[in-house]
Amino acid sequence: MSAWRVVAALLIAVLAWGPRPAGANTPMPVVASFSILGDVVAQVGGERVAVSVLVGPGSDAHVVQVTPAQARQVAAARVVVSHGLGFEGWLPRLLKSAGFGGIDLRVADGTQALKPAGQGGHGHAHHHDVDPHTWQDVARVRSWLPRIAEALCRADAAGCDGYRQRATAYDGRLAALDAEIRAGWAAVPVAERKVITSHEAFGYYAAAYGVRFLAPQGVSTEAEPSARGVARLVRQIRAEGVRALFVESIADPRLIEQIGRETGVMPAGRLYSDSLSPPGGPAASYEALMRHNTQALQRALASPARKESKP
Ligand SMILES: [Zn+2]
């Protein structure tokens, strides 16, 4: 039985009640498609909104098995905020089947998207001809904030001044974060800003902050890595003088260990691409995620303890 049949069956029960209007002291129900966006929406919404996230920390928002609980959240929401640019290919169908009649905001739709780098090496399939990971550039997220505030204003006019004020305050924090990231990179020579990741999720970070991310073909969590793919990765690390290797979605630690042995480039930690960490983790908010990734990258590239590659 497909997940959609389960959803359809449960929706009959959900729609029998329908969404209830929020009372004066009840936060407005708002749904965000994935954890990173959920944090951004909550920053703008403050205490007047209750943000539910469809794809929580540690889960993959590209490919989603919709649950009855998620369908109920959508049916009850006044506003659904998603990324757009094809990131959540599963969402339009969910909105339709849930009978969602509220405000459908796609924060990145209509913005200029990058093409995928095209080197291959996907940790999972991206069914797009555009790269949807725009949040890796802080300036892109800043551009979402007025749109989020206005969508919340349309659903809750009484809270509008507060939403706008919160959006402005948060924008100030993100501007400072963006400046902090740039200042950190200024200390790393451009020629040394080369890292390996498995998942092509950092194209916007690369474009905004001047770092090269290499994700060679054949290394994937979906397919078993081939010996040929690993050999190609090893050659590329040596040829490019890559100084840092990061795990993001390579599930097999033996592959990382093997690449480390063959190249002398040790895995330098974990980057958060498409999801926050759970609460208490190192990337529990969008700001913390960007700081964690940036500091992990800069530490790995600047570390005096790094292994120099032999000629
Ligand atoms: Zn992704």
Side-chain angles (χ1 to χ4, degrees):
M1 181 149 106
S2 78
W4 287 106
R5 270 172 213 241
V6 175
V7 168
L10 270 115
L11 279 176
I12 292 164
V14 170
L15 294 174
W17 291 312
R20 271 185 275 170
N25 298 316
T26 311
M28 175 167 70
V30 173
V31 160
S33 56
F34 70 117
S35 57
I36 295 169
L37 182 56
D39 175 52
V40 174
V41 173
Q43 296 292 340
V44 177
E47 291 183 349
R48 288 184 72 91
V49 306
V51 179
S52 306
V53 167
L54 295 176
V55 182
S59 299
D60 185 349
H62 292 281
V63 186
V64 170
Q65 192 82 350
V66 174
T67 66
Q70 290 169 324
R72 282 195 298 275
Q73 287 172 339
V74 167
R78 302 277 300 281
V79 182
V80 170
V81 187
S82 59
H83 179 269
L85 296 181
F87 182 56
E88 308 97 334
W90 43 273
L91 186 62
R93 203 169 164 189
L94 172 59
L95 296 185
K96 197 171 175 206
S97 69
F100 176 69
I103 293 163
D104 173 8
L105 172 65
R106 301 167 197 191
V107 287
D109 267 8
T111 63
Q112 179 124 35
L114 298 178
K115 298 267 183 223
Q119 281 192 288
H122 293 75
H124 47 235
H126 290 155
H127 304 285
H128 328 286
D129 47 15
V130 300
D131 180 348
H133 303 89
T134 67
W135 54 90
Q136 294 293 341
D137 175 356
V138 175
R140 300 273 183 157
V141 174
R142 293 179 63 194
S143 77
W144 303 349
L145 303 182
R147 307 181 72 179
I148 293 169
E150 290 317 300
L152 296 177
C153 284
R154 276 166 60 205
D156 173 26
C160 190
D161 286 349
Y163 299 138
R164 288 177 179 158
Q165 282 165 17
R166 294 186 65 92
T168 301
Y170 187 47
D171 185 61
R173 299 217 308 274
L174 294 188
L177 172 64
D178 193 54
E180 177 190 317
I181 293 172
R182 288 173 193 283
W185 281 117
V188 182
V190 173
E192 294 187 14
R193 300 180 196 168
K194 287 186 269 191
V195 298
I196 296 278
T197 55
S198 62
H199 167 215
E200 279 186 355
F202 296 95
Y204 290 88
Y205 193 104
Y209 305 116
V211 183
R212 274 189 74 202
F213 289 85
L214 306 172
Q217 207 161 22
V219 179
S220 163
T221 56
E222 287 182 324
E224 275 294 305
S226 68
R228 204 162 142 255
V230 172
R232 189 164 47 225
L233 173 57
V234 165
R235 276 200 306 277
Q236 190 167 10
I237 291 169
R238 286 182 179 144
E240 300 266 358
V242 175
R243 295 185 185 276
L245 174 66
F246 282 87
V247 293
E248 193 270 314
S249 58
I250 292 177
D252 189 343
R254 290 170 303 176
L255 174 61
I256 293 296
E257 287 157 13
Q258 180 191 343
I259 291 167
R261 277 195 305 274
E262 293 188 20
T263 60
V265 182
M266 289 294 119
R270 178 194 179 111
L271 299 180
Y272 289 84
S273 60
D274 295 14
S275 151
L276 299 179
S277 68
S285 69
Y286 173 65
E287 289 167 275
L289 178 150
M290 293 302 293
R291 282 202 172 89
H292 168 87
N293 286 352
T294 297
Q295 288 167 6
L297 290 164
Q298 291 172 354
R299 206 180 301 123
L301 294 175
S303 169
R306 73 189 168 215
K307 294 196 177 182
E308 296 293 343
S309 48
K310 306 239 159 49

